[in-house]
């Protein structure tokens, strides 16, 4: 199976699930797929870092 | 991914070091290994699998098998200096656009202790080589390995080696690409176990199992952060009241959800009863149509019968006319003789008698009694009443004579037509009656339509009732959720920064969880669709009118393409199942890289590019298939996989000879020692004009098994 022009794009394939989520959430899921977080705690910590950033941004604005 | 070279030493029947180079030519991807039953074919297949994964999962009595050659262990193995069984596998795989070379070496040790053959695990090493630019797949791998510019990384720790093997072919999928032939049911038999295994395979290839740990992980994080956020909220004075309100709302929501669940269950029950009654009614109505049709057909038969009768009457009338027409000339003569003079009494007497007997005049019309009396009256000598009558008749005859004799033909044709029509109507009626029988009409005739309609109406109103209640409750749930969201927002606004962070974290965790689940569902459905398409477009032609479909539960369904009717999988023959499995494996081999590059789901790469098929290793691929199926299997092997490594017996030589243009390398296993079931016809075979001796019977030690591998040069 080789790539050709008739092959549908990712969005055609997978629908709009990707665009409905904020970028930092997508980053987290990508890292999760890559096996970056081996345990729930590691994942929770990573989420905590993102959350702190969001809180900071809120304060700035 | 391609296998390049296999080296075995002291492994099972192989003493000393033997090697085999796999064909890497994309046009001729099949590597054939001939060998007699028990000669070492399956051991080579096992050695490939064992080298990758370190287990003998493919074999039945895996715990009872020796890995180190018994002959070698008995002659020289001691605890201090054990015999080493060694399998080296060279593999090439394109990673990020460049060919990477992998050298996998797995060892096992064997020695004699108190006259018992003992074994233990040896080392496993994976070396990853970035070859010099001058090297290409197809060149001897050792050239790249020993080249001064080769970049070699060595892995020996269990986790590292496992990661490297998973890059090539994850074990969880690997087992589906090594078919050890008839010893295991998958994929050659059409039994429950094999179908179950197919289902697991589809589940795996559609990526569903791959998400299990991700989902566990995201779900765990979601719940932990949610608990933490709630606990934080309770601790703070500013938000405690709000949190209590949120908790109360949650309880209400939960109650509404519970009720909704119950209602939905109830609805499913009522809906199924409604559908059942509705179906019965539909069948009844269909049957009623049939009855109406039969009745109409009976009416038509009756009409056709009347038409036939009329045509018959018409025919007899015109035949009568024709008869008189012919008889006319005779009467002309008669009248000519008698009408001008008294005629003899005996003639009068004879005519009268005839009239009395038939009560019919000669023109065929009936005579009334009074007419007869009239005629008798005129019987006196000299009276010419009879002659008068005959003159009248003559007038009638003259009239008739002008009628066309062709009327007879027309009437006959009309009768024929009427009879044909009647026959057709009778047949139609018979068919209509038969249809009623076929449709089980008698059974449905017993149904009480009125009662069914009443029951249906009851169920319908019950359904409407439940639906309206569900709508109400759903609305209530939405309102509760809205209220809850408002309280949450207020709580976040009032909460100190620490708690807000936890709250955000919970929110992110929920989103991560939802995204992973959404991707999982999409991935599964896309993979299923692609598998279906690949199988239907490229591989399944075992019967042209079959199409396959994989449903959400990963059950394979087979349909007659033209009718859309399902054929139960259990009705497929063993051969069809075998082809189906090959077809799925071939399609899956092409989907595998996609399975391995899921991260693309989250990137902007518009199309899947890294699509590289993988090899299939199979023992006795034909296992009881018919000739056309065998050719179909070769076609799938050569087109569906990056390579096919086939272990086969000499009995299939005719097939391989006719498919020689797909074959890139052939080897023969020569066996030394006693084999079970000596078969003279297997002793030698002809291949590309050269005769190879198949069994060497000059072995000094018939009990010990030893095998050697020789390349057959074309």
């Amino acid at each position: 199976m080789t790539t050709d022009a008739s092959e549908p794009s990712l969005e055609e394939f997978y629908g709009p699930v990707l665009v409905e989520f904020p970028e930092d959430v997508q980053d987290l899921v990508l890292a999760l797929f890559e096996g970056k977080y081996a345990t729930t705690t590691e994942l929770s910590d990573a989420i905590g870092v993102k959350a702190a950033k969001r809180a900071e941004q809120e304060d700035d604005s | 991914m391609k296998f390049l070279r296999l080296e075995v030493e002291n492994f099972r029947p192989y003493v000393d070091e033997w090697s085999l180079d796999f064909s890497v030519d994309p046009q001729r991807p099949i590597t054939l290994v001939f060998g007699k039953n028990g000669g070492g074919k399956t051991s080579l297949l096992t050695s490939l699998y064992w080298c990758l994964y370190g287990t003998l999962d493919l074999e039945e009595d895996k715990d009872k098998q020796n890995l180190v050659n018994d002959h070698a262990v008995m002659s020289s193995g001691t605890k201090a200096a054990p015999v080493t069984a060694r399998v080296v596998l060279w593999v090439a795989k394109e990673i990020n656009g460049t060919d990477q070379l992998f050298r996998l070496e797995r060892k096992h040790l064997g020695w004699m202790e108190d006259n018992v053959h003992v074994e233990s695990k040896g080392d496993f090493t994976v070396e990853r080589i970035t070859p010099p630019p001058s090297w290409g797949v197809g060149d001897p791998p050792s050239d790249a390995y020993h080249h001064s510019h080769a970049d070699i990384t060595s892995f020996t720790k269990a986790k590292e080696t496992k990661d490297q093997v998973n890059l090539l072919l994850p074990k969880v999928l690997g087992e589906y690409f090594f078919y050890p032939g008839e010893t295991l049911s998958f994929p050659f038999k059409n039994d429950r176990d094999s179908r179950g295994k197919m289902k697991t395979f589809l589940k795996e290839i559609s990526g569903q199992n791959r998400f299990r740990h991700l989902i566990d992980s995201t779900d765990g994080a979601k719940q932990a952060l949610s608990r933490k956020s709630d606990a934080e909220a309770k601790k703070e004075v500013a938000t405690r009241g709000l949190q209590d309100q949120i908790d109360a709302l949650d309880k209400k929501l939960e109650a509404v959800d519970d009720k909704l669940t119950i209602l939905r269950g109830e609805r499913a029950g009522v809906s199924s009863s409604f559908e059942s009654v509705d179906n019965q009614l539909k069948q009844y109505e269909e049957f009623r149509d049939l009855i109406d049709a039969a009745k109409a057909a009976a009416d038509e038969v009756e009409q056709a019968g009347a038409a036939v009768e009329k045509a018959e009457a018409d025919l007899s009338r015109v035949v009568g006319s024709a008869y008189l027409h012919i008889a006319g000339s005779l009467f002309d003569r008669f009248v000519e003789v008698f009408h001008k003079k008294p005629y003899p009494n005996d003639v009068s007497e004879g005519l009268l008698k005839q009239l009395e007997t038939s009560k019919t005049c000669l023109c065929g019309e009936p005579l009334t009694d009074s007419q007869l009396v009239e005629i008798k009256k005129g019987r006196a000598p000299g009276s010419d009443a009879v002659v008068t009558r005959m003159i009248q008749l003559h007038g009638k005859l003259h009239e008739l004579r002008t009628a066309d004799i062709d009327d007879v033909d027309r009437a006959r044709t009309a009768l024929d037509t009427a009879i044909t029509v009647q026959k057709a109507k009778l047949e139609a009626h018979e068919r209509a009656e038969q249809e009623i029988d076929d449709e089980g009409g008698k059974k449905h005739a017993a149904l009480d339509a009125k009662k069914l309609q009443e029951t249906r109406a009851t169920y319908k109103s019950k359904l409407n009732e439940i639906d309206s209640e569900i709508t109400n409750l759903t609305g209530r749930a939405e309102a509760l959720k809205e209220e809850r969201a408002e309280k949450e927002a207020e709580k976040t606004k009032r909460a100190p920064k620490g708690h807000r962070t936890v709250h955000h974290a919970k929110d992110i965790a929920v989103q991560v969880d939802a995204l992973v689940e959404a991707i999982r569902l999409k991935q599964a459905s896309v993979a299923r669709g692609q598998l279906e398409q690949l199988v239907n477009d490229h591989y399944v032609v075992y019967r042209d009118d079959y199409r396959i479909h994989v449903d959400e539960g990963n059950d394979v369904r087979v349909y007659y393409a033209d009718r859309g009717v399902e054929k139960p999988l259990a009705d497929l023959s063993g051969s069809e199942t075998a082809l189906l499995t090959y077809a799925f494996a071939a399609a899956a081999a092409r989907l595998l890289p996609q399975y391995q590059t899921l991260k693309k789901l989250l990137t902007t790469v518009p199309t899947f590019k890294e699509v590289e098929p993988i090899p299939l290793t199979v023992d006795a691929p034909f296992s009881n298939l018919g000739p056309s199926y065998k050719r179909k299997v070769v076609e799938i092997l050569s087109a569906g996989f990056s390579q096919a490594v086939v272990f086969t017996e000499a009995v299939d030589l005719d097939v391989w000879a006719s498919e020689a243009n797909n074959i890139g390398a052939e080897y023969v296993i020569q066996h030394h020692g006693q084999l079970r079931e000596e078969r003279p016809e297997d002793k030698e075979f002809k291949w590309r004009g050269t005769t190879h001796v198949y069994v060497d019977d000059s072995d000094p030690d018939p009990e010990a098994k030893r095998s050697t591998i020789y390349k057959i040069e074309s």
Side-chain angles (χ1 to χ4, degrees):
Chain A
M1 192 166 70
T2 50
T3 305
D4 61 44
S6 64
E7 210 171 332
S9 71
L10 261 190
E11 203 152 320
E12 282 172 314
F13 251 13
Y14 288 92
V17 288
L18 308 180
V19 294
E20 285 174 3
F21 291 89
E23 216 165 276
D24 57 351
V25 171
Q26 292 196 29
D27 288 351
L28 274 169
V29 175
L30 182 56
L32 199 64
F33 276 124
E34 285 172 337
K36 208 164 160 187
Y37 315 119
T39 63
T40 303
T41 318
E42 281 175 40
L43 175 64
S44 296
D45 291 349
I47 289 173
V49 173
K50 300 273 178 197
K53 269 189 194 159
R54 278 194 190 181
E56 261 171 42
Q57 278 165 5
E58 235 169 53
D59 287 347
D60 292 347
S61 64
Chain B
M1 193 260 274
K2 278 179 180 168
F3 295 137
L4 303 179
R5 183 179 168 85
L6 177 72
E7 294 162 10
V8 289
E9 183 184 358
N10 292 327
F11 185 81
R12 307 182 116 190
Y14 299 92
V15 184
D16 303 332
E17 197 179 324
W18 298 96
S19 68
L20 190 155
D21 290 302
F22 300 103
S23 171
V24 293
D25 182 349
Q27 305 303 318
R28 306 164 76 92
I30 298 178
T31 300
L32 274 190
V33 184
F34 289 102
K36 198 172 175 172
N37 246 350
K41 295 196 305 282
T42 308
S43 287
L44 276 192
L45 189 154
T46 306
S47 76
L48 266 169
Y49 189 83
W50 179 74
C51 185
L52 279 164
Y53 305 118
T55 74
L56 295 178
D57 290 347
L58 300 179
E59 306 217 351
E60 273 177 332
D61 297 319
K62 59 177 180 182
D63 301 330
K64 298 178 190 160
Q65 310 269 355
N66 286 338
L67 286 183
V68 191
N69 182 272
D70 201 39
H71 186 82
V73 169
M74 282 199 291
S75 41
S76 65
T78 63
K79 195 170 183 180
V83 174
T84 303
R86 197 175 65 95
V87 176
V88 176
L89 179 63
W90 297 82
V91 180
K93 182 177 168 67
E94 194 188 299
I95 294 174
N96 298 332
T98 51
D99 282 325
Q100 295 280 298
L101 188 61
F102 292 79
R103 182 181 180 277
L104 290 75
E105 180 174 24
R106 200 180 280 277
K107 290 176 183 167
H108 212 66
L109 309 171
W111 64 93
M112 295 302 288
E113 204 173 298
D114 301 332
N115 276 332
V116 179
H117 178 136
V118 186
E119 295 193 351
S120 83
K121 255 190 189 176
D123 301 332
F124 178 48
T125 313
V126 177
E127 285 167 292
R128 186 166 161 179
I129 305 129
T130 305
S134 58
W135 185 88
V137 175
D139 296 334
S142 52
D143 286 3
Y145 188 62
H146 295 298
H147 197 279
S148 54
H149 290 100
D151 176 11
I152 303 176
T153 318
S154 192
F155 304 93
T156 50
K157 285 182 188 157
K159 189 180 180 307
E160 291 172 347
T161 53
K162 197 177 162 193
D163 285 348
Q164 294 303 309
V165 171
N166 278 344
L167 265 182
L168 300 171
L169 181 59
K171 179 168 182 275
V172 65
L173 286 176
E175 64 177 295
Y176 300 106
F177 292 93
F178 290 86
Y179 292 169
E182 294 148 75
T183 49
L184 291 183
S185 56
F186 186 73
F188 299 99
K189 286 180 190 163
N190 185 4
D191 56 23
R192 217 174 140 199
D193 284 354
S194 305
R195 287 199 296 275
K197 195 151 183 179
M198 167 81 96
K199 198 171 165 169
T200 318
F201 171 46
L202 292 171
K203 198 170 173 188
E204 194 59 59
I205 203 70
S206 66
Q208 291 175 52
N209 285 346
R210 196 161 177 252
F211 284 84
R212 207 184 300 126
H213 75 276
L214 291 178
I215 285 169
D216 288 350
S217 188
T218 54
D219 195 47
K222 184 184 77 178
Q223 286 182 15
L225 287 165
S226 195
R227 278 196 302 271
K228 204 170 165 188
S229 170
D230 291 353
E232 288 279 334
K234 280 213 184 337
K235 272 196 288 183
E236 293 155 11
V237 182
T239 53
R240 198 182 297 148
L242 281 166
Q243 183 60 38
D244 287 347
Q245 289 176 31
I246 289 171
D247 288 348
L249 284 171
D250 276 344
K251 270 199 187 125
K252 279 185 196 166
L253 250 176
E254 207 178 300
V256 170
D257 276 346
D258 285 351
K259 206 164 176 194
L260 268 174
T261 311
I262 293 169
L263 270 178
R264 286 194 182 114
E266 206 177 311
R267 191 193 189 283
V270 175
S271 168
S272 125
S273 306
F274 173 80
E275 269 163 32
S276 156
V277 173
D278 197 47
N279 275 338
Q280 284 185 53
L281 258 175
K282 270 183 198 142
Q283 280 172 343
Y284 178 83
E285 274 157 22
E286 273 165 25
F287 169 72
R288 197 182 54 196
D289 291 347
L290 288 178
I291 298 240
D292 287 349
K295 208 171 156 212
D299 287 348
E300 281 178 10
V301 168
E302 205 172 300
Q303 282 166 18
V308 168
E309 267 173 36
K310 185 177 174 293
E312 271 171 354
D314 287 350
L315 182 63
S316 42
R317 189 173 53 74
V318 290
V319 166
S321 303
Y323 167 70
L324 287 180
H325 183 99
I326 293 157
S329 56
L330 191 69
F331 281 106
D332 284 350
R333 190 87 188 114
F334 199 69
V335 170
E336 199 181 296
V337 173
F338 293 110
H339 84 288
K340 279 194 174 159
K341 45 186 170 179
Y343 50 88
N345 271 347
D346 53 344
V347 174
S348 170
E349 193 71 29
L351 279 169
L352 197 63
K353 211 172 241 173
Q354 203 180 337
L355 287 172
E356 275 178 332
T357 316
S358 67
K359 284 195 175 179
T360 309
C361 85
L362 282 172
C363 71
E365 286 177 355
L367 292 172
T368 61
D369 287 345
S370 59
Q371 279 173 322
L372 275 173
V373 170
E374 194 70 23
I375 290 168
K376 277 180 191 167
K377 263 192 209 160
R379 203 190 137 217
S383 158
D384 56 3
V386 174
V387 174
T388 309
R389 177 85 186 147
M390 293 204 63
I391 288 166
Q392 284 168 352
L393 273 176
H394 182 260
K396 176 91 176 158
L397 275 173
H398 182 76
E399 197 183 296
L400 284 170
R401 207 178 298 158
T402 58
D404 196 341
I405 192 80
D406 288 347
D407 283 354
V408 177
D409 282 342
R410 273 198 289 275
R412 192 188 294 132
T413 310
L415 179 63
D416 281 351
T417 312
I419 288 174
T420 311
V421 169
Q422 191 193 29
K423 210 174 151 193
K425 298 291 177 194
L426 275 170
E427 277 170 11
H429 182 240
E430 207 170 296
R431 272 199 304 276
E433 293 282 352
Q434 183 60 41
E435 215 169 319
I436 291 173
D437 278 354
D438 289 350
E439 295 292 321
K442 288 186 183 75
K443 193 176 77 189
H444 293 297
L447 291 177
D448 182 344
K450 202 178 162 208
K451 202 174 164 193
L452 280 176
Q453 271 157 356
E454 280 167 13
T455 318
R456 182 168 63 171
T458 315
Y459 282 133
K460 184 76 197 162
S461 89
K462 179 84 184 150
L463 270 182
N464 288 341
E465 220 172 88
I466 296 178
D467 279 345
S468 105
E469 205 169 338
I470 286 180
T471 314
N472 282 342
L473 278 176
T474 315
R476 169 113 179 99
E478 286 304 315
L480 284 172
K481 273 181 200 162
E482 252 173 56
E483 198 182 340
R484 192 189 185 286
E486 278 167 23
K487 301 278 178 206
E488 279 279 3
E490 202 184 334
K491 186 181 86 180
T492 315
K493 213 167 135 192
R494 282 201 217 159
K497 195 180 170 190
H499 174 228
R500 263 192 295 141
T501 311
V502 178
H503 178 84
H504 279 312
K506 186 195 90 176
D507 188 37
I508 292 172
V510 169
Q511 290 186 41
V512 168
D513 191 52
L515 183 52
V516 169
E517 176 63 7
I519 294 172
R520 182 186 75 85
L521 291 176
K522 280 282 179 187
Q523 167 71 10
S525 105
V526 168
R528 276 199 310 271
Q530 287 179 315
L531 260 180
E532 257 174 45
Q533 199 183 336
L534 277 169
V535 171
N536 284 327
D537 289 356
H538 299 295
Y539 306 119
V540 177
V541 248
Y542 51 100
R543 289 231 180 127
D544 286 333
D545 59 346
Y546 289 169
R547 307 291 286 171
I548 63 102
H549 170 69
V550 185
D551 70 14
E552 278 179 32
N554 291 306
D555 282 314
V556 179
R557 299 189 183 282
V558 179
Y559 288 89
Y560 296 103
D562 52 345
R563 284 170 282 162
V565 177
E566 184 176 355
K567 181 183 174 73
L569 206 59
D571 287 0
L572 290 181
S573 70
S575 303
E576 286 165 343
T577 313
L579 268 191
L580 188 66
T581 319
Y582 279 118
F584 265 106
R590 279 161 186 270
L591 277 182
L592 191 72
Q594 188 175 305
Y595 166 93
Q596 288 175 324
T597 55
L598 265 183
K599 67 177 178 183
K600 287 193 173 177
L601 297 177
L602 297 166
T603 66
T604 52
V605 179
T607 51
F608 292 101
K609 281 179 183 160
E610 287 176 35
V611 176
E612 179 211 34
I614 58 159
L616 182 81
T617 307
V618 55
D619 195 0
F622 299 148
S623 178
N624 305 326
L625 300 189
S628 61
Y629 285 108
K630 287 182 181 180
R631 278 177 178 73
K632 188 67 208 159
V633 168
V634 178
E635 203 179 294
I636 294 178
L637 291 181
S638 56
F641 302 91
S642 66
Q643 286 172 314
V645 184
V646 176
F647 298 89
T648 184
E649 280 191 86
V651 284
D652 294 325
L653 263 182
D654 52 337
V655 179
W656 295 118
S658 70
E659 300 293 330
N661 56 347
N662 290 313
I663 295 157
E666 308 95 56
Y667 288 83
V668 61
I669 294 172
Q670 201 163 4
H671 186 78
H672 307 257
Q674 191 63 47
L675 283 178
R676 286 167 290 133
E677 296 172 40
E678 284 276 351
R679 286 191 300 190
E681 69 270 22
D682 287 348
K683 279 201 169 180
E684 57 179 33
F685 61 87
K686 284 180 180 175
W687 181 245
R688 296 201 188 167
T690 316
T691 303
H692 298 270
V693 177
Y694 196 66
V695 170
D696 183 356
D697 52 7
S698 62
D699 195 274
D701 181 3
E703 291 306 314
K705 277 189 176 184
R706 282 181 287 139
S707 296
T708 48
I709 311 167
Y710 293 106
K711 184 159 193 184
I712 304 171
E713 301 291 351
S714 54

